[in-house]
């Protein structure tokens, strides 16, 4: 029988499949790719009779799935480095906000930027993540906080997606907070989101999901419910920033809506964990914001383990609380700050990161039928990805079967 022709074959490294969220390491493995998909993954000794058009022989190292950064705010105007310096010099967040700083300073800078300026500045930040093996990334709006600016942000995300070797998911986070124009009429902004903005987002295909920020300084659970009702009526999946600064039951609320994820979760309770487990909602942990804000309340990792809630990790790259441009650093922080194991951390930026985006059927692990997004690292074992702090690990990124 004739050999089966395929596009490419990748040999000479151990393969960390992350199937079922475990290393499932295959020593001296082989990865076969055709038409941008994985067609075979296994030990080289069991390799079928393939006739590859291209063959890559690595000299040791490991191959992992492409990394998934499932929570970022990469598109915005300006930066907040001045406020970071002020805080470290003893100026309180309340004082900074009274001076016109905080999120509203980012809103002003974002509204003043053109779509092209937003794309260009975001591209610089995104390139830093891609250089470290990220092949799938979620990007939220949320710094426009008016109808047209939020649409511009989402269009910028879609434009950005056309120019990078990565799968980019767009999330509408218009419910990030309340614009200054609606300080005395918060319901007016909720009405605009539900009645005008989300229908336009859906009609133009600008978002893959809808997010909100449930917190005493943002939306109440009742306001979140209104946004989620509107999103679900339009067939848009939901997710939620929840339990970051206080326990409001937002994670359980999100789970009841079948949310893809609840994110932050420092103040999540056992009731939240039970609800998330019941409804398949992923816990997205964000150690960058925890670190920068110098928080002390850690997310209840042990409760998530006990109840079988998958835990993802993400950079939360944003101008105010997590100016993080390294998902690999988040792997280490997830272990050192939150108590994850290296295997849990790597699962958090592969399979469970993909599940937090609703992409677990096609992304996040090395299995036949999934997209051929993977990375070769010159490392002896997967724990090394978590172990090294900073610096550049020279990696070879393969996106949709093509070396980058």
């Amino acid at each position: 029988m004739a050999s089966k022709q395929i596009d490419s074959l990748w040999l000479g490294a151990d393969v960390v499949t992350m199937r079922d969220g475990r290393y499932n390491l295959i020593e001296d493995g082989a990865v076969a790719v055709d038409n941008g998909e994985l067609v075979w993954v296994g030990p080289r000794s069991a390799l079928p009779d393939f006739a590859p058009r291209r063959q890559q022989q690595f000299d040791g190292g490991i191959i992992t799935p492409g990394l998934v950064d499932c929570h970022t705010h990469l598109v915005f105007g300006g930066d907040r480095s001045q406020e970071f310096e002020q805080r470290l010099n003893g100026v309180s967040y309340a004082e900074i906000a009274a001076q016109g700083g905080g999120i509203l300073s980012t809103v002003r800078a974002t509204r003043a930027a053109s779509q092209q300026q937003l794309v260009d500045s975001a591209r610089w930040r995104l390139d830093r993540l891609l250089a470290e093996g990220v092949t799938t990334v979620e990007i939220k709006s949320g710094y426009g906080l008016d109808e047209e600016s939020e649409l511009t942000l989402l269009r910028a995300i879609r434009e950005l997606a056309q120019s990078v070797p990565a799968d980019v998911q767009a999330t509408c986070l218009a419910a990030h907070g309340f614009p200054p124009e609606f300080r005395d009429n918060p319901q007016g902004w909720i009405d605009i989101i539900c009645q005008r903005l989300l229908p336009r987002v859906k009609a133009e295909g600008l978002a893959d999901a809808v997010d909100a920020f449930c917190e005493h300084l943002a939306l109440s659970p009742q306001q979140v419910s209104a946004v989620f009702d509107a999103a679900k009526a339009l067939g848009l999946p939901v997710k939620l920033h929840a339990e970051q600064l206080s326990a409001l039951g937002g994670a359980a609320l999100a789970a009841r809506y079948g949310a893809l994820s609840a994110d932050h979760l420092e103040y999540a309770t056992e009731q939240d964990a039970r609800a998330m487990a019941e409804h398949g909602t992923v816990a997205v942990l964000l150690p960058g914001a925890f670190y920068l804000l110098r928080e002390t309340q850690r997310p209840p990792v042990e409760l998530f383990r006990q109840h079988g809630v998958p835990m993802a990790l993400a950079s939360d790259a944003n101008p105010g609380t997590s100016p993080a441009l390294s998902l690999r650093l988040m792997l280490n922080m997830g272990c050192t700050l939150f108590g994850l194991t290296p295997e849990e951390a790597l699962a958090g930026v592969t399979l469970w990161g993909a599940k937090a985006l609703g992409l677990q059927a096609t992304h996040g692990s090395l299995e036949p039928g999934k997209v051929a997004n993977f990375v070769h690292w010159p490392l002896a074992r997967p724990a090394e990805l978590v172990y090294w702090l900073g610096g550049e690990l020279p990696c070879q990124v393969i996106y949709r079967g093509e070396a980058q």
Side-chain angles (χ1 to χ4, degrees):
M1 194 166 71
S3 302
K4 178 177 172 55
Q5 272 215 331
I6 58 171
D7 288 336
S8 60
L9 186 61
W10 308 78
L11 306 166
D14 295 340
V15 179
V16 185
T17 70
M18 298 314 296
R19 181 171 46 83
D20 301 322
R22 309 299 297 269
Y23 289 150
N24 282 304
L25 187 141
I26 301 169
E27 294 186 358
D28 191 18
V31 176
V33 175
D34 196 51
N35 197 31
E37 288 190 354
L38 301 169
V39 293
W40 194 86
V41 179
R44 183 173 185 165
S45 61
L47 191 62
D49 187 13
F50 287 126
R53 296 178 183 88
R54 290 176 287 120
Q55 183 166 309
Q56 172 70 53
Q57 176 73 40
F58 294 114
D59 185 20
I62 61 172
I63 292 171
T64 70
L67 305 187
V68 179
D69 195 346
C70 66
H71 180 131
T72 83
H73 305 252
L74 284 168
V75 180
F76 56 85
D79 75 86
R80 305 246 286 279
S81 58
Q82 180 183 357
E83 293 176 19
F84 174 68
E85 188 169 21
Q86 284 180 288
R87 287 202 307 272
L88 292 175
N89 280 304
V91 183
S92 72
Y93 188 85
E95 289 173 298
I96 292 170
Q99 297 166 6
I103 187 174
L104 292 184
S105 68
T106 299
V107 169
R108 286 193 301 274
T110 301
R111 289 179 178 180
S114 69
Q115 181 171 320
Q116 192 58 53
Q117 287 171 325
L118 292 169
V119 170
D120 291 345
S121 62
R123 175 63 190 265
W124 181 88
R125 294 185 280 269
L126 179 55
D127 282 347
R128 310 283 80 76
L129 293 171
L130 301 186
E132 290 197 329
V134 170
T135 56
T136 303
V137 61
E138 183 255 24
I139 306 176
K140 305 175 191 295
S141 69
Y143 289 116
L145 295 187
D146 66 41
E147 189 173 354
E148 292 306 321
S149 297
E150 285 294 308
L151 291 169
T152 297
L153 282 166
L154 291 168
R155 291 178 185 127
I157 296 167
R158 290 298 198 216
E159 182 180 339
L160 189 62
Q162 300 303 311
S163 65
V164 294
D167 298 316
V168 178
Q169 296 284 106
T171 296
C172 179
L173 181 56
H176 199 184
F178 295 100
E181 300 88 346
F182 287 87
R183 183 169 42 229
D184 299 322
N185 178 26
Q187 187 58 43
W189 178 235
I190 299 296
D191 290 344
I192 286 174
I193 293 171
C194 297
Q195 297 168 19
R196 294 189 352 212
L197 179 58
L198 290 184
R200 290 182 68 184
V201 167
K202 174 66 175 182
E204 292 187 41
L206 290 177
D208 304 295
V210 172
D211 199 348
F213 185 18
C214 184
E215 195 53 74
H216 59 84
L217 48 69
L219 276 71
S220 69
Q222 294 74 23
Q223 291 164 333
V224 169
S225 291
V227 172
F228 280 7
D229 285 339
K232 297 297 270 186
L234 292 165
L236 289 166
V238 298
K239 56 183 72 175
L240 187 65
H241 288 61
E243 270 64 66
Q244 180 183 7
L245 305 172
S246 59
L248 293 181
L253 169 70
R256 290 194 295 274
Y257 275 90
L260 293 171
S261 69
D263 304 34
H264 286 291
L265 301 171
E266 280 86 337
Y267 287 83
T269 65
E270 184 158 16
Q271 181 181 353
D272 293 317
R274 283 200 184 103
M276 292 169 69
E278 179 183 351
H279 295 282
T281 297
V282 176
V284 178
L285 309 183
L286 304 171
F290 176 91
Y291 168 80
L292 201 82
L293 294 173
R294 293 184 283 189
E295 296 287 353
T296 56
Q297 174 87 16
R298 304 196 318 174
V301 165
E302 192 53 47
L303 282 178
F304 296 143
R305 287 181 183 134
Q306 288 174 15
H307 292 283
V309 179
M311 292 179 285
L313 278 173
S315 70
D316 191 20
N318 76 71
T321 60
S322 187
L325 298 179
S326 171
L327 187 59
R328 195 165 57 78
L329 179 58
M330 298 304 108
L331 286 170
N332 184 281
M333 285 185 170
C335 294
T336 56
L337 300 180
F338 291 167
L340 297 180
T341 67
E343 185 174 53
E344 286 174 328
L346 189 54
V349 298
T350 53
L351 187 61
W352 304 138
K355 183 174 171 61
L357 299 177
L359 297 176
Q360 70 273 22
T362 53
H363 293 66
S365 62
L366 299 180
E367 302 178 71
K370 291 198 171 186
V371 296
N373 293 351
F374 54 97
V375 187
H376 175 262
W377 309 87
L379 305 172
R381 56 189 61 83
E384 273 198 86
L385 270 177
V386 182
Y387 164 75
W388 291 110
L389 277 175
E392 289 188 13
L393 294 181
C395 62
Q396 173 70 73
V397 176
I398 294 87
Y399 173 69
R400 302 281 174 155
E402 298 295 329
Q404 301 304 305

